[in-house]
Amino acid sequence: MTATKSESGVPCECGSSNEDIREIQAIDIFCGIGGLTRGLRDAGIQVIAGMDIDPTCRYAYEANNPGTKFLEGDVRELKFSDFELDRGTSGPIALVGCAPCQPFSAHTRGIDSTEDCALVDEFARLVSEGCPDLISMENVPGLAKHESFHKLMALLRDLDYQIDFNVLNFQKYGVPQRRWRLVMLASRIGPVALPRPTQNATKVSNFIQDLEPIAAGKTSEKDPAHTTLPLSKTNLARIQQSKPGGTWEDWDKQLVSPCHSKARYPASYGRMRWSAPAPTITTQFCYYSTGRFGHPREDRAISVREAALLQTFPSDYMLVDPDDPLPIHKLARHIGNAVPVKVGELIGNSLLEAAFHD
């Protein structure tokens, strides 16, 4: 493949022949605590660096991904050349990332998405500057309708990338939650295809039923990430009357507030069911009132560790810095924003297939 000029006019030295291909090296933008990075590593891809503007992600990212640099910074100040990649000696380069997604979410109302649209545009700028061999982006389905995504697709086509994207139901990829996400893959070195479904929906019980019982507001002595927020007296009474898969309609009338009948989400204050997938694990899972995040059996919201397991993080993934522990709501933000590790691994397998195709 001959070199192609990028949007900035700089030649893109992409398209190594199969004889020159060695190990894929990936750069993870908006890396958070490393869900995508860990999945790529599990697939056999070398992630050389992860970048995020949130310094509180550093501990979990570095503690669980040894040898991978965590770069704290603003993507708007980043240049692709800052990574000092030598295409003469390295294998294919992959640029992966998941820009903060809340403004594109179907659950969001009244939020100005200009800033986060700009982050998608910055991802496109890095593509234009560096012309990486492989690209992956994961985000909420609503992004597919946005101009920023359309501009990125047009850029990739202009640079002769092969592209595959669609909205995937993560229940079919080993993730035990009702989570739909847009996944896009692009390649300049071979045909690329989204991962195929691996299995039917998995159950909550398969992932969290073996954890030790804890009460609301308590923390396990064995695992600092198995920790929960306390419940008010009223909410304790509510969850005691909540049924797995039910809603506030299961409660005695005196426990129902007028706002509940007007709530946008009738599943608020509900319990999960052992035999079904969880709801989408959001950044608010630590609060019993914000969705069906009640434990199936215990009178509390799910713990940080339980949410991480439902996001398919390994059970030994270190989440709490012993020297500087974060409050639960910040840990919840880390987990809710993460790419499920299992999905990251399947994306990695697809990138490997594109790089090492016959």
Side-chain angles (χ1 to χ4, degrees):
M1 182 181 294
T2 57
T4 303
K5 285 190 176 182
S6 70
E7 192 176 63
S8 60
V10 178
C12 292
E13 301 295 338
C14 307
S16 304
S17 67
N18 284 351
E19 291 77 11
D20 294 331
I21 287 178
R22 287 171 288 279
E23 187 176 35
I24 294 176
Q25 296 186 80
I27 302 163
D28 186 355
I29 307 299
F30 318 111
C31 66
I33 61 170
L36 179 55
T37 287
R38 179 57 179 263
L40 294 177
R41 287 166 58 102
D42 288 348
I45 291 176
Q46 179 187 9
V47 184
I48 61 175
M51 182 178 185
D52 204 282
I53 198 170
D54 184 355
T56 66
C57 294
R58 178 184 294 275
Y59 169 77
Y61 189 89
E62 291 185 336
N64 296 284
N65 298 289
T68 302
K69 297 179 181 178
F70 177 86
L71 305 177
E72 178 190 338
D74 190 332
V75 69
R76 291 167 293 192
E77 299 173 0
L78 175 69
K79 296 181 180 179
F80 197 89
S81 59
D82 292 340
F83 292 106
E84 299 181 349
L85 299 168
D86 184 0
R87 279 198 164 98
T89 59
S90 68
I93 303 300
L95 179 69
V96 304
C98 174
C101 63
Q102 282 83 354
F104 307 119
S105 172
H107 300 313
T108 301
R109 293 292 183 272
I111 293 180
D112 181 3
S113 65
T114 302
E115 188 72 8
D116 289 274
C117 293
L119 295 180
V120 176
D121 293 338
E122 293 297 328
F123 188 88
R125 174 184 60 81
L126 292 173
V127 170
S128 179
E129 289 179 2
C131 195
D133 304 290
L134 300 159
I135 296 169
S136 173
M137 173 179 282
E138 187 262 15
N139 218 302
V140 294
L143 179 61
K145 300 178 181 179
H146 202 279
E147 181 182 0
S148 293
F149 185 73
H150 298 161
K151 289 167 58 178
L152 174 60
M153 293 298 98
L155 172 63
L156 294 176
R157 294 186 182 101
D158 287 345
L159 294 177
D160 294 329
Y161 282 91
Q162 298 185 58
I163 307 167
D164 193 13
F165 73 90
N166 209 337
V167 175
L168 304 183
N169 178 1
F170 283 4
Q171 291 183 54
K172 297 182 179 180
Y173 294 84
V175 179
Q177 55 179 292
R178 293 185 289 275
R179 195 179 191 94
W180 294 80
R181 287 295 185 268
L182 172 70
V183 178
M184 183 276 291
L185 302 179
S187 169
R188 286 178 54 87
I189 56 177
V192 67
L194 292 171
R196 300 178 185 86
T198 57
Q199 62 190 87
N200 293 325
T202 50
K203 301 183 295 184
V204 167
S205 61
N206 293 340
F207 286 76
I208 70 170
Q209 69 177 352
D210 293 333
L211 271 67
E212 65 176 302
I214 56 172
K218 301 299 181 180
T219 300
S220 167
E221 295 182 359
K222 300 176 182 178
D223 179 3
H226 191 28
T227 183
T228 65
L229 288 176
L231 292 175
S232 67
K233 183 178 179 180
T234 299
N235 277 342
L236 178 60
R238 286 168 171 166
I239 196 170
Q240 288 172 339
Q241 294 189 13
S242 293
K243 301 175 182 178
T247 70
W248 47 263
E249 294 174 329
D250 300 322
W251 305 339
D252 292 339
K253 291 183 178 180
Q254 66 268 23
L255 294 176
V256 179
S257 297
C259 64
H260 292 149
S261 61
K262 301 177 182 179
R264 197 164 156 252
Y265 307 113
S268 294
Y269 295 90
R271 286 186 186 270
M272 296 179 180
R273 291 184 293 169
W274 282 127
S275 59
T280 301
I281 299 300
T282 71
T283 59
Q284 302 291 309
F285 71 79
C286 57
Y287 302 103
Y288 165 58
S289 62
T290 55
R292 190 174 282 131
F293 296 127
H295 189 278
R297 180 173 56 230
E298 299 169 34
D299 295 335
R300 58 174 176 82
I302 59 171
S303 72
V304 172
R305 176 61 70 196
E306 287 164 337
L309 292 172
L310 294 171
Q311 282 278 62
T312 64
F313 280 91
S315 60
D316 60 352
Y317 205 84
M318 292 176 280
L319 299 168
V320 180
D321 184 350
D323 297 323
D324 187 20
L326 294 172
I328 291 176
H329 72 276
K330 288 190 176 181
L331 295 172
R333 178 162 53 84
H334 289 171
I335 299 299
N337 282 334
V339 176
V341 174
K342 184 61 178 178
V343 172
E345 181 181 1
L346 295 172
I347 288 173
N349 290 337
S350 291
L351 296 179
L352 287 166
E353 290 178 7
F356 297 96
H357 66 286
D358 293 329

